[in-house]
Amino acid sequence: MELRPFSRRSMLALGTATAAGGLAGVGARTALAEPTSLSPAASPSSASSEVWQRLRAGNARFAAGRQRWPRQDPAHRRSLVEGQDPVACVLGCADSRVPAELLFDQGLGDLFTVRAVGEVLDDAVVGSVEYAVEHLHVPVVVVLGHSRCGAVAAAIDLVQGRSEVTGSVSTVARAIEATVRATPADPDPQRFLAACVRTQTARVAEELPRRSPAIRAALDDHGVEIVVGVYDLASGLVTRY
């Protein structure tokens, strides 16, 4: 499936696509078989394309069990002491099965990773993404959901009256409640959960520029792109929507 960038000005409709393969491509700014830098004259759109190709290639390696585990040696670690230059920001779930650096087969300093249960936004999360686009100048922000997300499942149970949540966990479930109500009903529980996960990632991607003038400016004026993706726990593949 050919996948196109998400921006504040264009939101792709979410269909029923599944995690089809084809996550292969060349990367950018990495060692081994990857170029060591982004193209010097790259436009914002081409820079984001290069970054996404790099992440696709890394995810394909991970899913196939051919990881390179790049840029994790002591010398590279020491080279990062004075600063960082990540190629992308990944806003993903705090779920222990979804570590962005591993599933994209990236190394130290490659990704600016922000993690929150269900990708739920609060001021700290929004501020972290702001920092990535405004100060680290990443060309891509990936909002990454995942299959069988427990936070989304809890919100579904809440909406459907099957359970109650208490304490601070209720804040997370209620933050996702609108996602569940906005997702077309499906009699199959697993299909409905998958659809809600896709809806949640799309809603977070839309909400980021609404919540932050800095992120909105990065998208409108500097060509930063927001990518909506879902990681499949079984296959190891990320599908971009």
Side-chain angles (χ1 to χ4, degrees):
M1 169 170 77
E2 181 64 27
L3 300 163
R4 295 179 176 84
F6 171 91
S7 74
R8 181 170 175 264
R9 293 177 295 274
S10 62
M11 176 65 194
L12 295 179
L14 289 176
T16 57
T18 56
L23 292 182
V26 294
R29 208 191 67 91
T30 67
L32 300 174
E34 299 170 345
T36 57
S37 63
L38 293 175
S39 300
S43 67
S45 60
S46 63
S48 61
S49 177
E50 287 184 35
V51 169
W52 179 244
Q53 292 301 317
R54 166 176 169 171
L55 297 183
R56 290 179 69 206
N59 179 239
R61 294 194 301 268
F62 170 80
R66 297 195 297 267
Q67 301 96 313
R68 294 171 178 167
W69 297 286
R71 296 166 297 284
Q72 298 175 29
D73 58 278
H76 183 71
R77 185 184 69 234
R78 289 190 293 270
S79 75
L80 296 171
V81 170
E82 299 302 325
Q84 59 176 316
D85 185 25
V87 297
C89 172
V90 179
L91 169 56
C93 185
D95 192 298
S96 63
R97 300 166 292 179
V98 195
E101 291 83 359
L102 295 184
L103 63 92
F104 286 117
D105 195 24
Q106 299 300 300
L108 295 171
D110 290 338
L111 301 178
F112 188 84
T113 305
V114 184
R115 300 181 70 175
V117 173
E119 306 87 57
V120 169
L121 298 180
D122 61 17
D123 288 346
V125 171
V126 174
S128 297
V129 178
E130 273 188 7
Y131 181 80
V133 299
E134 194 170 29
H135 297 281
L136 300 177
H137 308 294
V138 298
V140 174
V141 175
V142 180
V143 179
L144 186 67
H146 68 92
S147 63
R148 299 180 180 271
C149 179
V152 176
I156 292 172
D157 287 344
L158 179 67
V159 169
Q160 296 181 348
R162 291 196 297 267
S163 69
E164 295 182 2
V165 288
T166 60
S168 296
V169 174
S170 66
T171 303
V172 175
R174 294 198 180 282
I176 304 174
E177 182 178 351
T179 286
V180 177
R181 297 189 184 281
T183 303
D186 191 313
D188 184 286
Q190 290 306 317
R191 280 204 309 261
F192 184 61
L193 173 57
C196 287
V197 166
R198 293 194 298 271
T199 303
Q200 174 64 3
T201 56
R203 288 184 71 248
V204 169
E206 287 186 308
E207 189 66 20
L208 277 169
R210 291 177 186 159
R211 296 263 308 250
S212 167
I215 295 173
R216 186 164 62 248
L219 268 62
D220 288 345
D221 302 332
H222 303 294
V224 172
E225 291 178 354
I226 296 181
V227 169
V228 176
V230 175
Y231 170 68
D232 183 72
L233 294 174
S235 69
L237 292 171
V238 173
T239 296
R240 180 177 174 179
Y241 291 94

mmCIF file of all heavy atoms in Angstrom, residues 172-218:
data_model
loop_
_atom_site.group_PDB
_atom_site.id
_atom_site.type_symbol
_atom_site.label_atom_id
_atom_site.label_comp_id
_atom_site.label_asym_id
_atom_site.label_seq_id
_atom_site.Cartn_x
_atom_site.Cartn_y
_atom_site.Cartn_z
ATOM 1 N N VAL A 172 -6.935 8.496 31.883
ATOM 2 C CA VAL A 172 -6.519 7.973 30.580
ATOM 3 C C VAL A 172 -7.716 7.430 29.810
ATOM 4 O O VAL A 172 -7.930 7.752 28.638
ATOM 5 C CB VAL A 172 -5.448 6.873 30.759
ATOM 6 C CG1 VAL A 172 -5.106 6.241 29.415
ATOM 7 C CG2 VAL A 172 -4.205 7.442 31.416
ATOM 8 N N ALA A 173 -8.504 6.595 30.477
ATOM 9 C CA ALA A 173 -9.650 5.987 29.795
ATOM 10 C C ALA A 173 -10.628 7.051 29.304
ATOM 11 O O ALA A 173 -11.147 6.967 28.181
ATOM 12 C CB ALA A 173 -10.344 5.005 30.726
ATOM 13 N N ARG A 174 -10.879 8.053 30.127
ATOM 14 C CA ARG A 174 -11.841 9.087 29.736
ATOM 15 C C ARG A 174 -11.267 9.970 28.627
ATOM 16 O O ARG A 174 -12.026 10.520 27.831
ATOM 17 C CB ARG A 174 -12.261 9.903 30.948
ATOM 18 C CG ARG A 174 -13.034 9.064 31.950
ATOM 19 C CD ARG A 174 -13.829 9.878 32.938
ATOM 20 N NE ARG A 174 -14.544 8.998 33.860
ATOM 21 C CZ ARG A 174 -15.663 8.345 33.587
ATOM 22 N NH1 ARG A 174 -16.213 8.478 32.390
ATOM 23 N NH2 ARG A 174 -16.244 7.565 34.473
ATOM 24 N N ALA A 175 -9.944 10.089 28.563
ATOM 25 C CA ALA A 175 -9.333 10.860 27.472
ATOM 26 C C ALA A 175 -9.525 10.163 26.126
ATOM 27 O O ALA A 175 -9.526 10.814 25.080
ATOM 28 C CB ALA A 175 -7.850 11.075 27.747
ATOM 29 N N ILE A 176 -9.696 8.837 26.164
ATOM 30 C CA ILE A 176 -9.868 8.064 24.930
ATOM 31 C C ILE A 176 -11.347 7.803 24.649
ATOM 32 O O ILE A 176 -11.718 7.300 23.588
ATOM 33 C CB ILE A 176 -9.077 6.740 25.016
ATOM 34 C CG1 ILE A 176 -7.594 7.030 25.326
ATOM 35 C CG2 ILE A 176 -9.146 5.937 23.727
ATOM 36 C CD1 ILE A 176 -6.760 5.781 25.572
ATOM 37 N N GLU A 177 -12.210 8.167 25.584
ATOM 38 C CA GLU A 177 -13.643 7.908 25.439
ATOM 39 C C GLU A 177 -14.206 8.505 24.152
ATOM 40 O O GLU A 177 -14.992 7.868 23.442
ATOM 41 C CB GLU A 177 -14.390 8.460 26.651
ATOM 42 C CG GLU A 177 -15.878 8.197 26.633
ATOM 43 C CD GLU A 177 -16.567 8.714 27.887
ATOM 44 O OE1 GLU A 177 -15.868 9.116 28.841
ATOM 45 O OE2 GLU A 177 -17.807 8.715 27.901
ATOM 46 N N ALA A 178 -13.812 9.734 23.829
ATOM 47 C CA ALA A 178 -14.316 10.378 22.608
ATOM 48 C C ALA A 178 -13.897 9.613 21.361
ATOM 49 O O ALA A 178 -14.635 9.567 20.367
ATOM 50 C CB ALA A 178 -13.824 11.821 22.538
ATOM 51 N N THR A 179 -12.718 8.999 21.397
ATOM 52 C CA THR A 179 -12.259 8.170 20.277
ATOM 53 C C THR A 179 -13.210 7.010 20.051
ATOM 54 O O THR A 179 -13.602 6.710 18.917
ATOM 55 C CB THR A 179 -10.847 7.636 20.563
ATOM 56 O OG1 THR A 179 -9.902 8.700 20.412
ATOM 57 C CG2 THR A 179 -10.470 6.511 19.621
ATOM 58 N N VAL A 180 -13.563 6.337 21.135
ATOM 59 C CA VAL A 180 -14.447 5.174 21.026
ATOM 60 C C VAL A 180 -15.803 5.593 20.461
ATOM 61 O O VAL A 180 -16.358 4.935 19.574
ATOM 62 C CB VAL A 180 -14.615 4.501 22.403
ATOM 63 C CG1 VAL A 180 -15.599 3.340 22.316
ATOM 64 C CG2 VAL A 180 -13.264 4.007 22.923
ATOM 65 N N ARG A 181 -16.329 6.701 20.944
ATOM 66 C CA ARG A 181 -17.645 7.156 20.499
ATOM 67 C C ARG A 181 -17.606 7.629 19.037
ATOM 68 O O ARG A 181 -18.634 7.602 18.357
ATOM 69 C CB ARG A 181 -18.150 8.265 21.414
ATOM 70 C CG ARG A 181 -18.365 7.799 22.858
ATOM 71 C CD ARG A 181 -19.066 8.843 23.700
ATOM 72 N NE ARG A 181 -19.180 8.414 25.088
ATOM 73 C CZ ARG A 181 -20.094 7.559 25.546
ATOM 74 N NH1 ARG A 181 -20.974 7.038 24.711
ATOM 75 N NH2 ARG A 181 -20.137 7.217 26.825
ATOM 76 N N ALA A 182 -16.431 8.045 18.578
ATOM 77 C CA ALA A 182 -16.311 8.527 17.195
ATOM 78 C C ALA A 182 -16.056 7.407 16.198
ATOM 79 O O ALA A 182 -16.091 7.636 14.980
ATOM 80 C CB ALA A 182 -15.181 9.552 17.107
ATOM 81 N N THR A 183 -15.806 6.199 16.674
ATOM 82 C CA THR A 183 -15.487 5.078 15.794
ATOM 83 C C THR A 183 -16.752 4.295 15.456
ATOM 84 O O THR A 183 -17.507 3.933 16.361
ATOM 85 C CB THR A 183 -14.474 4.132 16.475
ATOM 86 O OG1 THR A 183 -13.301 4.882 16.838
ATOM 87 C CG2 THR A 183 -14.063 3.010 15.544
ATOM 88 N N PRO A 184 -17.023 4.048 14.171
ATOM 89 C CA PRO A 184 -18.216 3.289 13.792
ATOM 90 C C PRO A 184 -18.269 1.933 14.492
ATOM 91 O O PRO A 184 -17.248 1.253 14.633
ATOM 92 C CB PRO A 184 -18.066 3.128 12.277
ATOM 93 C CG PRO A 184 -17.212 4.280 11.866
ATOM 94 C CD PRO A 184 -16.253 4.502 12.986
ATOM 95 N N ALA A 185 -19.445 1.562 14.939
ATOM 96 C CA ALA A 185 -19.620 0.302 15.658
ATOM 97 C C ALA A 185 -19.275 -0.886 14.768
ATOM 98 O O ALA A 185 -19.433 -0.838 13.539
ATOM 99 C CB ALA A 185 -21.052 0.185 16.165
ATOM 100 N N ASP A 186 -18.801 -1.935 15.411
ATOM 101 C CA ASP A 186 -18.494 -3.178 14.709
ATOM 102 C C ASP A 186 -18.822 -4.321 15.663
ATOM 103 O O ASP A 186 -18.371 -4.315 16.808
ATOM 104 C CB ASP A 186 -17.012 -3.213 14.319
ATOM 105 C CG ASP A 186 -16.684 -4.353 13.357
ATOM 106 O OD1 ASP A 186 -17.133 -5.499 13.620
ATOM 107 O OD2 ASP A 186 -15.984 -4.122 12.368
ATOM 108 N N PRO A 187 -19.591 -5.308 15.214
ATOM 109 C CA PRO A 187 -19.948 -6.407 16.116
ATOM 110 C C PRO A 187 -18.766 -7.283 16.526
ATOM 111 O O PRO A 187 -18.843 -7.992 17.527
ATOM 112 C CB PRO A 187 -20.976 -7.216 15.307
ATOM 113 C CG PRO A 187 -20.677 -6.877 13.877
ATOM 114 C CD PRO A 187 -20.222 -5.446 13.895
ATOM 115 N N ASP A 188 -17.697 -7.239 15.747
ATOM 116 C CA ASP A 188 -16.511 -8.021 16.080
ATOM 117 C C ASP A 188 -15.633 -7.216 17.039
ATOM 118 O O ASP A 188 -15.115 -6.154 16.664
ATOM 119 C CB ASP A 188 -15.717 -8.354 14.818
ATOM 120 C CG ASP A 188 -14.532 -9.246 15.112
ATOM 121 O OD1 ASP A 188 -13.537 -8.742 15.680
ATOM 122 O OD2 ASP A 188 -14.599 -10.439 14.779
ATOM 123 N N PRO A 189 -15.436 -7.668 18.277
ATOM 124 C CA PRO A 189 -14.693 -6.885 19.268
ATOM 125 C C PRO A 189 -13.267 -6.551 18.848
ATOM 126 O O PRO A 189 -12.796 -5.440 19.097
ATOM 127 C CB PRO A 189 -14.712 -7.778 20.515
ATOM 128 C CG PRO A 189 -15.874 -8.683 20.330
ATOM 129 C CD PRO A 189 -15.965 -8.918 18.852
ATOM 130 N N GLN A 190 -12.581 -7.507 18.217
ATOM 131 C CA GLN A 190 -11.197 -7.245 17.836
ATOM 132 C C GLN A 190 -11.111 -6.259 16.673
ATOM 133 O O GLN A 190 -10.214 -5.411 16.637
ATOM 134 C CB GLN A 190 -10.483 -8.559 17.488
ATOM 135 C CG GLN A 190 -10.225 -9.454 18.683
ATOM 136 C CD GLN A 190 -9.470 -8.736 19.790
ATOM 137 O OE1 GLN A 190 -8.505 -7.989 19.541
ATOM 138 N NE2 GLN A 190 -9.897 -8.941 21.029
ATOM 139 N N ARG A 191 -12.036 -6.354 15.724
ATOM 140 C CA ARG A 191 -12.042 -5.372 14.634
ATOM 141 C C ARG A 191 -12.363 -3.986 15.170
ATOM 142 O O ARG A 191 -11.790 -2.994 14.725
ATOM 143 C CB ARG A 191 -13.063 -5.773 13.561
ATOM 144 C CG ARG A 191 -12.600 -6.843 12.603
ATOM 145 C CD ARG A 191 -13.370 -6.777 11.288
ATOM 146 N NE ARG A 191 -14.802 -6.750 11.496
ATOM 147 C CZ ARG A 191 -15.607 -7.808 11.396
ATOM 148 N NH1 ARG A 191 -15.103 -8.992 11.108
ATOM 149 N NH2 ARG A 191 -16.916 -7.686 11.586
ATOM 150 N N PHE A 192 -13.297 -3.923 16.112
ATOM 151 C CA PHE A 192 -13.651 -2.626 16.689
ATOM 152 C C PHE A 192 -12.477 -2.039 17.457
ATOM 153 O O PHE A 192 -12.196 -0.840 17.348
ATOM 154 C CB PHE A 192 -14.867 -2.767 17.598
ATOM 155 C CG PHE A 192 -15.358 -1.447 18.148
ATOM 156 C CD1 PHE A 192 -15.797 -0.440 17.285
ATOM 157 C CD2 PHE A 192 -15.363 -1.208 19.517
ATOM 158 C CE1 PHE A 192 -16.238 0.789 17.789
ATOM 159 C CE2 PHE A 192 -15.811 0.007 20.023
ATOM 160 C CZ PHE A 192 -16.252 1.009 19.163
ATOM 161 N N LEU A 193 -11.780 -2.867 18.225
ATOM 162 C CA LEU A 193 -10.600 -2.383 18.946
ATOM 163 C C LEU A 193 -9.559 -1.851 17.968
ATOM 164 O O LEU A 193 -8.989 -0.771 18.175
ATOM 165 C CB LEU A 193 -10.004 -3.505 19.796
ATOM 166 C CG LEU A 193 -8.673 -3.217 20.491
ATOM 167 C CD1 LEU A 193 -8.762 -1.988 21.394
ATOM 168 C CD2 LEU A 193 -8.209 -4.442 21.289
ATOM 169 N N ALA A 194 -9.306 -2.584 16.889
ATOM 170 C CA ALA A 194 -8.321 -2.138 15.893
ATOM 171 C C ALA A 194 -8.739 -0.811 15.269
ATOM 172 O O ALA A 194 -7.901 0.085 15.051
ATOM 173 C CB ALA A 194 -8.147 -3.204 14.810
ATOM 174 N N ALA A 195 -10.039 -0.667 14.992
ATOM 175 C CA ALA A 195 -10.522 0.583 14.414
ATOM 176 C C ALA A 195 -10.367 1.735 15.397
ATOM 177 O O ALA A 195 -9.996 2.858 15.011
ATOM 178 C CB ALA A 195 -11.982 0.435 13.995
ATOM 179 N N CYS A 196 -10.643 1.470 16.669
ATOM 180 C CA CYS A 196 -10.482 2.521 17.681
ATOM 181 C C CYS A 196 -9.017 2.933 17.830
ATOM 182 O O CYS A 196 -8.719 4.118 18.045
ATOM 183 C CB CYS A 196 -11.030 2.039 19.028
ATOM 184 S SG CYS A 196 -12.832 1.955 19.111
ATOM 185 N N VAL A 197 -8.113 1.981 17.728
ATOM 186 C CA VAL A 197 -6.682 2.309 17.791
ATOM 187 C C VAL A 197 -6.312 3.245 16.649
ATOM 188 O O VAL A 197 -5.608 4.250 16.844
ATOM 189 C CB VAL A 197 -5.824 1.023 17.752
ATOM 190 C CG1 VAL A 197 -4.359 1.360 17.475
ATOM 191 C CG2 VAL A 197 -5.959 0.253 19.058
ATOM 192 N N ARG A 198 -6.801 2.954 15.442
ATOM 193 C CA ARG A 198 -6.496 3.828 14.308
ATOM 194 C C ARG A 198 -7.112 5.216 14.515
ATOM 195 O O ARG A 198 -6.481 6.229 14.222
ATOM 196 C CB ARG A 198 -7.017 3.199 13.008
ATOM 197 C CG ARG A 198 -6.292 1.930 12.603
ATOM 198 C CD ARG A 198 -6.598 1.530 11.165
ATOM 199 N NE ARG A 198 -8.004 1.235 10.944
ATOM 200 C CZ ARG A 198 -8.562 0.040 11.105
ATOM 201 N NH1 ARG A 198 -7.820 -0.974 11.534
ATOM 202 N NH2 ARG A 198 -9.842 -0.151 10.831
ATOM 203 N N THR A 199 -8.329 5.235 15.031
ATOM 204 C CA THR A 199 -8.972 6.520 15.289
ATOM 205 C C THR A 199 -8.207 7.324 16.327
ATOM 206 O O THR A 199 -8.039 8.542 16.191
ATOM 207 C CB THR A 199 -10.427 6.315 15.767
ATOM 208 O OG1 THR A 199 -11.142 5.554 14.794
ATOM 209 C CG2 THR A 199 -11.132 7.644 15.967
ATOM 210 N N GLN A 200 -7.727 6.649 17.358
ATOM 211 C CA GLN A 200 -6.996 7.354 18.405
ATOM 212 C C GLN A 200 -5.713 7.985 17.880
ATOM 213 O O GLN A 200 -5.398 9.141 18.184
ATOM 214 C CB GLN A 200 -6.670 6.389 19.561
ATOM 215 C CG GLN A 200 -5.786 6.958 20.666
ATOM 216 C CD GLN A 200 -6.416 8.103 21.434
ATOM 217 O OE1 GLN A 200 -7.560 8.467 21.193
ATOM 218 N NE2 GLN A 200 -5.677 8.676 22.368
ATOM 219 N N THR A 201 -4.964 7.257 17.072
ATOM 220 C CA THR A 201 -3.732 7.832 16.527
ATOM 221 C C THR A 201 -4.045 9.029 15.633
ATOM 222 O O THR A 201 -3.341 10.046 15.664
ATOM 223 C CB THR A 201 -2.929 6.788 15.734
ATOM 224 O OG1 THR A 201 -3.740 6.234 14.698
ATOM 225 C CG2 THR A 201 -2.436 5.667 16.628
ATOM 226 N N ALA A 202 -5.115 8.922 14.839
ATOM 227 C CA ALA A 202 -5.490 10.037 13.961
ATOM 228 C C ALA A 202 -5.930 11.251 14.771
ATOM 229 O O ALA A 202 -5.590 12.392 14.439
ATOM 230 C CB ALA A 202 -6.608 9.600 13.012
ATOM 231 N N ARG A 203 -6.692 11.029 15.826
ATOM 232 C CA ARG A 203 -7.163 12.140 16.659
ATOM 233 C C ARG A 203 -5.989 12.831 17.350
ATOM 234 O O ARG A 203 -5.948 14.065 17.440
ATOM 235 C CB ARG A 203 -8.154 11.649 17.714
ATOM 236 C CG ARG A 203 -9.496 11.253 17.144
ATOM 237 C CD ARG A 203 -10.489 10.862 18.236
ATOM 238 N NE ARG A 203 -10.919 12.045 18.987
ATOM 239 C CZ ARG A 203 -10.606 12.292 20.258
ATOM 240 N NH1 ARG A 203 -9.835 11.449 20.933
ATOM 241 N NH2 ARG A 203 -11.061 13.368 20.866
ATOM 242 N N VAL A 204 -5.031 12.054 17.832
ATOM 243 C CA VAL A 204 -3.854 12.651 18.470
ATOM 244 C C VAL A 204 -3.070 13.480 17.454
ATOM 245 O O VAL A 204 -2.617 14.593 17.750
ATOM 246 C CB VAL A 204 -2.964 11.548 19.086
ATOM 247 C CG1 VAL A 204 -1.610 12.115 19.511
ATOM 248 C CG2 VAL A 204 -3.675 10.913 20.278
ATOM 249 N N ALA A 205 -2.910 12.950 16.238
ATOM 250 C CA ALA A 205 -2.187 13.686 15.199
ATOM 251 C C ALA A 205 -2.883 15.001 14.857
ATOM 252 O O ALA A 205 -2.224 16.014 14.593
ATOM 253 C CB ALA A 205 -2.050 12.818 13.946
ATOM 254 N N GLU A 206 -4.209 14.994 14.845
ATOM 255 C CA GLU A 206 -4.949 16.223 14.573
ATOM 256 C C GLU A 206 -4.884 17.193 15.746
ATOM 257 O O GLU A 206 -4.856 18.412 15.558
ATOM 258 C CB GLU A 206 -6.414 15.889 14.285
ATOM 259 C CG GLU A 206 -6.658 15.238 12.947
ATOM 260 C CD GLU A 206 -8.148 15.069 12.681
ATOM 261 O OE1 GLU A 206 -8.847 14.512 13.551
ATOM 262 O OE2 GLU A 206 -8.605 15.509 11.619
ATOM 263 N N GLU A 207 -4.864 16.649 16.951
ATOM 264 C CA GLU A 207 -4.913 17.495 18.141
ATOM 265 C C GLU A 207 -3.586 18.194 18.422
ATOM 266 O O GLU A 207 -3.571 19.304 18.974
ATOM 267 C CB GLU A 207 -5.321 16.643 19.346
ATOM 268 C CG GLU A 207 -5.631 17.415 20.618
ATOM 269 C CD GLU A 207 -6.863 18.302 20.484
ATOM 270 O OE1 GLU A 207 -7.698 18.061 19.586
ATOM 271 O OE2 GLU A 207 -6.975 19.248 21.289
ATOM 272 N N LEU A 208 -2.470 17.577 18.070
ATOM 273 C CA LEU A 208 -1.166 18.176 18.373
ATOM 274 C C LEU A 208 -1.049 19.613 17.873
ATOM 275 O O LEU A 208 -0.711 20.514 18.650
ATOM 276 C CB LEU A 208 -0.039 17.316 17.800
ATOM 277 C CG LEU A 208 0.403 16.127 18.647
ATOM 278 C CD1 LEU A 208 1.327 15.218 17.849
ATOM 279 C CD2 LEU A 208 1.089 16.596 19.924
ATOM 280 N N PRO A 209 -1.295 19.899 16.584
ATOM 281 C CA PRO A 209 -1.191 21.292 16.136
ATOM 282 C C PRO A 209 -2.268 22.200 16.715
ATOM 283 O O PRO A 209 -2.065 23.414 16.814
ATOM 284 C CB PRO A 209 -1.306 21.193 14.610
ATOM 285 C CG PRO A 209 -1.956 19.898 14.347
ATOM 286 C CD PRO A 209 -1.540 18.981 15.453
ATOM 287 N N ARG A 210 -3.409 21.645 17.097
ATOM 288 C CA ARG A 210 -4.437 22.467 17.734
ATOM 289 C C ARG A 210 -4.012 22.907 19.127
ATOM 290 O O ARG A 210 -4.336 24.018 19.558
ATOM 291 C CB ARG A 210 -5.743 21.688 17.836
ATOM 292 C CG ARG A 210 -6.425 21.418 16.506
ATOM 293 C CD ARG A 210 -7.669 20.583 16.716
ATOM 294 N NE ARG A 210 -8.268 20.197 15.447
ATOM 295 C CZ ARG A 210 -9.091 19.163 15.308
ATOM 296 N NH1 ARG A 210 -9.399 18.422 16.357
ATOM 297 N NH2 ARG A 210 -9.595 18.885 14.131
ATOM 298 N N ARG A 211 -3.292 22.027 19.798
ATOM 299 C CA ARG A 211 -2.885 22.328 21.174
ATOM 300 C C ARG A 211 -1.634 23.195 21.238
ATOM 301 O O ARG A 211 -1.351 23.784 22.277
ATOM 302 C CB ARG A 211 -2.593 21.005 21.922
ATOM 303 C CG ARG A 211 -3.772 20.094 22.109
ATOM 304 C CD ARG A 211 -4.424 20.227 23.456
ATOM 305 N NE ARG A 211 -3.550 20.128 24.593
ATOM 306 C CZ ARG A 211 -3.547 19.091 25.442
ATOM 307 N NH1 ARG A 211 -4.339 18.045 25.227
ATOM 308 N NH2 ARG A 211 -2.773 19.102 26.500
ATOM 309 N N SER A 212 -0.864 23.244 20.158
ATOM 310 C CA SER A 212 0.439 23.903 20.210
ATOM 311 C C SER A 212 0.678 24.800 18.995
ATOM 312 O O SER A 212 0.828 24.311 17.879
ATOM 313 C CB SER A 212 1.553 22.857 20.274
ATOM 314 O OG SER A 212 2.808 23.438 20.035
ATOM 315 N N PRO A 213 0.755 26.123 19.202
ATOM 316 C CA PRO A 213 1.111 27.012 18.088
ATOM 317 C C PRO A 213 2.481 26.681 17.486
ATOM 318 O O PRO A 213 2.671 26.831 16.275
ATOM 319 C CB PRO A 213 1.114 28.399 18.740
ATOM 320 C CG PRO A 213 0.190 28.268 19.915
ATOM 321 C CD PRO A 213 0.402 26.883 20.425
ATOM 322 N N ALA A 214 3.419 26.216 18.326
ATOM 323 C CA ALA A 214 4.753 25.891 17.818
ATOM 324 C C ALA A 214 4.695 24.703 16.866
ATOM 325 O O ALA A 214 5.346 24.691 15.817
ATOM 326 C CB ALA A 214 5.699 25.600 18.974
ATOM 327 N N ILE A 215 3.930 23.697 17.213
ATOM 328 C CA ILE A 215 3.791 22.538 16.335
ATOM 329 C C ILE A 215 3.031 22.930 15.070
ATOM 330 O O ILE A 215 3.388 22.526 13.959
ATOM 331 C CB ILE A 215 3.082 21.382 17.063
ATOM 332 C CG1 ILE A 215 3.951 20.885 18.228
ATOM 333 C CG2 ILE A 215 2.779 20.234 16.105
ATOM 334 C CD1 ILE A 215 3.280 19.854 19.117
ATOM 335 N N ARG A 216 2.013 23.748 15.215
ATOM 336 C CA ARG A 216 1.251 24.212 14.054
ATOM 337 C C ARG A 216 2.153 24.983 13.101
ATOM 338 O O ARG A 216 2.094 24.801 11.878
ATOM 339 C CB ARG A 216 0.086 25.079 14.524
ATOM 340 C CG ARG A 216 -0.855 25.499 13.400
ATOM 341 C CD ARG A 216 -2.170 26.006 13.949
ATOM 342 N NE ARG A 216 -2.011 27.198 14.802
ATOM 343 C CZ ARG A 216 -2.230 27.210 16.113
ATOM 344 N NH1 ARG A 216 -2.593 26.100 16.752
ATOM 345 N NH2 ARG A 216 -2.086 28.319 16.812
ATOM 346 N N ALA A 217 3.007 25.836 13.638
ATOM 347 C CA ALA A 217 3.932 26.596 12.794
ATOM 348 C C ALA A 217 4.931 25.676 12.109
ATOM 349 O O ALA A 217 5.292 25.890 10.943
ATOM 350 C CB ALA A 217 4.659 27.647 13.627
ATOM 351 N N ALA A 218 5.379 24.653 12.821
ATOM 352 C CA ALA A 218 6.331 23.713 12.229
ATOM 353 C C ALA A 218 5.713 22.994 11.038
ATOM 354 O O ALA A 218 6.367 22.784 10.010
ATOM 355 C CB ALA A 218 6.793 22.701 13.281
#
